Amino acid sequence: MLIPLVMLLTVGIVWGAIFTVNKVAAEAAVPPVAYAFWSILLAGVAMATISLIFEGRPKLGRRYLQFYFASGVTNFGFAIILFAYAAGELPAGVITLVMMMTPTMTYLLAFAVRIDRFRAASFTGLLLGIAGVMVIVLPDFSLPSRDMAGWFLLTLLGPTSFAVGNVYVAMSRPPEMPGLMATAGLCLSAAVFILPAMLIVDADFNPFEASS
């Protein structure tokens, strides 16, 4: 019981810290698309290395590649670019609050496609999430500037994309595919998806020179 709890707390801390790091990168003028590409690529390489050690050779058949790419685009490919751009426009705390909508939106979508049942607590959470969004975007409330309202509403596409990805993974992940392998394929596929945009808008950025 203790180990799963520690793992859950660790994931929560790391997940929340991501948006602070995004803000730091934006303030350091790191190009958003390049930042998204390199961060997800390095994560994918790290996960693939761990997967090779503990799970063996990756599964590369057509069905597996389709799963990697579809889950990669919906879970990270779109959202990571969106949040990289939003980091320069919104406080990190606001973006973290938006991401808290992901479980609620995942439940709503799962219920809509009938892979989950109606639960009063989840539905209540959905209503509270919507109320929280309204409190933030309505005049004279939480945003430091009214000019941020458009960016805030745009970032809601992030948890929507994650929700689509979560439901897709739940419905389509091959049962024989190990978890680390699925995550590695997801990250690397997201990097492939982002690569063309990075080559167009941020091709001159070198992360190794920037860090030196």
Side-chain angles (χ1 to χ4, degrees):
M1 181 66 183
L2 180 59
I3 293 179
L5 179 60
V6 171
M7 293 175 65
L8 181 63
L9 291 174
T10 302
V11 169
I13 293 171
V14 172
W15 185 252
I18 288 174
F19 305 104
T20 301
V21 174
N22 288 354
K23 186 70 174 179
V24 171
E27 291 175 351
V30 178
V33 178
Y35 172 76
F37 170 78
W38 285 105
S39 60
I40 200 66
L41 176 64
L42 294 176
V45 170
M47 293 303 300
T49 302
I50 298 172
S51 176
L52 283 171
I53 295 172
F54 292 101
E55 298 173 342
R57 295 172 57 187
K59 300 182 182 298
L60 298 175
R62 179 178 179 181
R63 180 167 66 108
Y64 302 117
L65 293 176
Q66 179 180 351
F67 169 79
Y68 293 144
F69 189 77
S71 60
V73 171
T74 53
N75 274 291
F76 285 121
F78 170 75
I80 195 172
I81 295 178
L82 174 62
F83 287 125
Y85 273 105
E89 306 294 335
L90 294 172
V94 172
I95 298 178
T96 304
L97 180 62
V98 170
M99 283 308 305
M100 296 297 291
M101 292 287 293
T102 299
T104 300
M105 300 185 78
T106 299
Y107 166 72
L108 179 63
L109 184 57
F111 178 73
V113 299
R114 300 184 179 181
I115 64 171
D116 204 345
R117 58 184 176 82
F118 175 80
R119 295 193 301 270
S122 298
F123 187 73
T124 301
L126 173 64
L127 295 179
L128 290 175
I130 295 174
V133 170
M134 296 303 296
V135 166
I136 291 176
V137 299
L138 288 176
D140 302 323
F141 277 100
S142 298
L143 288 177
S145 169
R146 299 313 307 160
D147 296 336
M148 295 181 179
W151 272 102
F152 177 82
L153 293 174
L154 184 62
T155 58
L156 291 177
L157 294 175
T160 302
S161 180
F162 281 123
V164 172
N166 290 340
V167 171
Y168 174 78
V169 169
M171 297 178 65
S172 304
R173 175 181 167 182
E176 70 277 11
M177 179 179 290
L180 291 174
M181 188 179 297
T183 304
L186 183 154
C187 292
L188 292 174
S189 296
V192 170
F193 173 75
I194 297 171
L195 179 60
M198 198 271 293
L199 292 176
I200 293 173
V201 300
D202 293 331
D204 295 335
F205 177 74
N206 186 331
F208 304 103
E209 291 181 356
S211 61
S212 60

